[in-house]
């Protein structure tokens, strides 16, 4: 009994003294997982989320407001520079719906980022992920990788190592930053590796779901050693569990009951904030997140949003984040406003902005 009390006290002190910008609950869960007590953190989180799951059924009042980055307002006295676009990806098709009647605008893609040469660089769509939690809205962001670039940014503590890049979007990058979103699980839970700019901080694992960024800016997602592999053109690789969508089809183990892959931190059927990333057949990058998703409904949402290959990213309200950055006077001008993908995202819209150091790795979307 004394040992249990001492361990509990040590865990509280350890969480309170852990550096980072996350809240106490997240620090405590991470401390437990780092000290061979993951089963305690998993059990407590599963119990909490299972007993605080959203009500089944219901109808939302409507879609969430469009992020501020899509606002057309700008300073009329300022003329942004003219950018000539040689090519771009075709706009995405509407997301197939599973709930009827549909909300006004549900499943439709709306511009959610600045125009690059008169062409929308990002789109956002909102829809219900399943016909069970029908009051909950899932959001998808479609990113034109022929117009924009994506960079993998190491966090202050995940994945570890020493990097030239600051663990936040710094002042030199901010005028060109258009969005940022969360990375994957912690290294010890991801069952995969981390590679950036010639440095392998965590060994890459054969068979792991991998998001790969290449030197020409294009991005692919696939199984390491099969669809994707190392080459001299690879700039960054983030691995996280196994593919949820492959060749346009759901992975056979992306089910409500699988606990071998998708239940490694929380049960696959636990309804909680989850996020994932995929690529379309044309090469667009598709980020999906929602406050009430299971492993299966996340996979289905990625597939419906157009992903032909997709993987999960981080889960839990503390970690699921996508923020947009508004530059009404044009790309290259100072940031005016940061906004969340959807209002109930727990962390502030300034999460990835300096000088506060972000503890975990993340992705920055920027104009080249």
């Amino acid at each position: 009994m004394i040992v249990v009390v001492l361990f509990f006290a040590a865990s509280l002190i350890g969480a309170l003294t852990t550096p980072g910008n996350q809240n106490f609950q997240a620090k405590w869960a991470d401390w437990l997982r780092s000290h061979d007590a993951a089963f305690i953190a998993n059990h407590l989180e599963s119990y909490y989320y299972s007993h605080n799951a959203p009500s089944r059924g219901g109808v939302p009042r409507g879609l969430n407001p469009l992020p501020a980055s899509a606002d057309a307002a700008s300073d009329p006295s300022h003329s942004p520079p003219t950018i000539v676009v040689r090519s771009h990806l075709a706009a995405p098709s509407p997301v197939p719906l599973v709930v009827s009647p549909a909300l006004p605008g549900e499943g439709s893609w709306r511009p959610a980022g600045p125009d690059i040469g008169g062409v929308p660089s990002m789109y956002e769509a909102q829809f219900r992920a399943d016909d069970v939690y029908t009051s909950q809205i899932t959001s998808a962001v479609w990113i034109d990788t022929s117009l924009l670039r994506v960079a993998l940014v190491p966090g202050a503590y995940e994945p570890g190592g020493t990097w030239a890049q600051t663990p936040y979007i710094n002042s030199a990058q901010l005028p060109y930053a258009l969005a940022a979103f969360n990375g994957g699980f912690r290294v010890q839970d991801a069952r995969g590796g981390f590679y950036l700019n010639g440095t392998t901080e965590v060994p890459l694992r054969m068979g792991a779901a991998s998001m790969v960024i290449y030197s020409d800016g294009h991005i692919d997602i696939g199984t390491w050693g099969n669809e994707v592999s190392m080459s001299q053109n690879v700039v960054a690789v983030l691995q996280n569990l196994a593919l949820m969508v492959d060749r346009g089809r759901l992975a056979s183990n992306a089910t409500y009951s699988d606990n071998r892959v998708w239940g490694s931190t929380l049960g696959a059927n636990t309804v909680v904030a989850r996020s994932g990333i995929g690529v379309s057949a044309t090469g667009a990058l598709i980020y999906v997140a929602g406050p009430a998703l299971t492993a299966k409904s996340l996979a289905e949402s990625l597939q419906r949003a157009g992903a032909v290959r997709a993987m999960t990213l981080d889960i839990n309200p503390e970690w699921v984040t996508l923020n947009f950055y508004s530059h009404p006077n044009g790309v290259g001008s100072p940031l005016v406003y940061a906004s969340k993908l959807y209002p109930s995202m727990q962390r502030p819209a300034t999460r990835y902005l300096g000088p506060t150091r972000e503890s975990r790795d993340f992705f920055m979307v920027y104009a080249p």
Side-chain angles (χ1 to χ4, degrees):
M1 185 61 165
I2 294 177
V3 173
V4 173
V5 172
L6 290 175
F7 181 82
F8 182 75
S11 71
L12 295 179
I13 295 172
L16 288 170
T17 56
T18 298
N21 55 6
Q22 63 268 43
N23 64 24
F24 170 77
Q25 291 87 341
K27 290 181 179 181
W28 190 35
D30 281 355
W31 191 95
L32 291 170
R33 290 190 172 103
S34 298
H35 291 80
D36 300 319
F39 67 97
I40 298 177
N42 295 345
H43 178 76
L44 291 174
E45 289 181 340
S46 294
Y47 179 86
Y48 175 83
Y49 291 125
S50 297
H51 287 77
N52 289 274
S55 300
R56 295 169 179 249
V59 180
R61 294 181 179 179
L63 300 181
N64 296 318
L66 197 65
S69 64
D71 291 347
S74 62
D75 182 354
S77 66
H78 180 89
S79 297
T82 301
I83 301 175
V84 177
V85 173
R86 293 186 174 87
S87 64
H88 62 88
L89 302 180
S93 301
V95 179
L97 304 181
V98 296
V99 180
S100 182
L103 301 170
E106 184 175 6
S108 298
W109 294 96
R110 304 176 294 173
D115 286 359
I116 304 295
V119 179
S121 57
M122 291 186 284
Y123 289 88
E124 182 227 23
Q126 300 176 33
F127 50 91
R128 265 77 64 83
D130 55 35
D131 59 2
V132 178
Y133 299 98
T134 52
S135 66
Q136 302 296 315
I137 294 175
T138 294
S139 298
V141 177
W142 183 98
I143 301 169
D144 189 334
T145 53
S146 69
L147 300 177
L148 303 179
R149 295 290 182 266
V150 178
L152 176 59
V153 181
Y157 306 105
E158 291 286 332
T162 301
W163 307 93
Q165 165 70 44
T166 56
Y168 54 79
I169 299 173
N170 59 49
S171 58
Q173 297 166 328
L174 190 54
Y176 303 93
L178 302 178
F181 58 89
N182 59 275
F185 287 9
R186 296 182 67 200
V187 168
Q188 66 186 64
D189 299 318
R191 300 176 186 172
F194 186 103
Y195 170 89
L196 180 62
N197 295 330
T199 298
T200 301
E201 182 59 32
V202 182
L204 300 175
R205 184 177 67 85
M206 295 292 289
S210 307
M211 178 173 168
V212 184
I213 303 174
Y214 296 88
S215 56
D216 64 358
H218 89 272
I219 296 172
D220 204 356
I221 291 173
T223 300
W224 192 253
N226 187 0
E227 290 105 339
V228 291
S229 58
M230 184 57 68
S231 74
Q232 62 181 4
N233 299 319
V234 171
V235 173
V237 182
L238 179 74
Q239 297 185 323
N240 201 51
L241 302 184
L243 288 184
M244 282 191 146
V245 179
D246 194 8
R247 298 177 177 87
R249 299 187 297 270
L250 297 183
S252 60
N253 53 5
T255 66
Y256 289 115
S257 58
D258 179 84
N259 285 315
R260 183 178 62 86
V261 177
W262 315 113
S264 58
T265 55
L266 287 178
N269 62 347
T270 302
V271 182
V272 68
R274 297 178 187 261
S275 63
I277 195 74
V279 289
S280 73
T282 62
L285 194 64
I286 301 170
Y287 174 93
V288 170
L293 294 170
T294 62
K296 185 176 182 181
S297 61
L298 172 60
E300 292 171 336
S301 296
L302 285 159
Q303 180 192 49
R304 287 163 52 206
V308 294
R309 293 182 300 280
M311 56 190 268
T312 184
L313 291 178
D314 219 341
I315 65 175
N316 292 336
E318 176 70 15
W319 302 114
V320 175
T321 300
L322 186 145
N323 298 324
F324 292 100
Y325 307 122
S326 175
H327 305 271
N329 291 328
V331 174
S333 64
L335 171 71
V336 172
Y337 193 73
S339 57
K340 303 177 185 180
L341 175 59
Y342 55 80
S344 63
M345 282 187 161
Q346 190 175 100
R347 302 291 286 277
T350 56
R351 174 183 176 185
Y352 299 119
L353 306 182
T356 301
R357 301 199 302 167
E358 169 58 31
S359 60
R360 296 191 181 185
D361 52 81
F362 66 94
F363 292 95
M364 175 180 65
V365 181
Y366 65 98

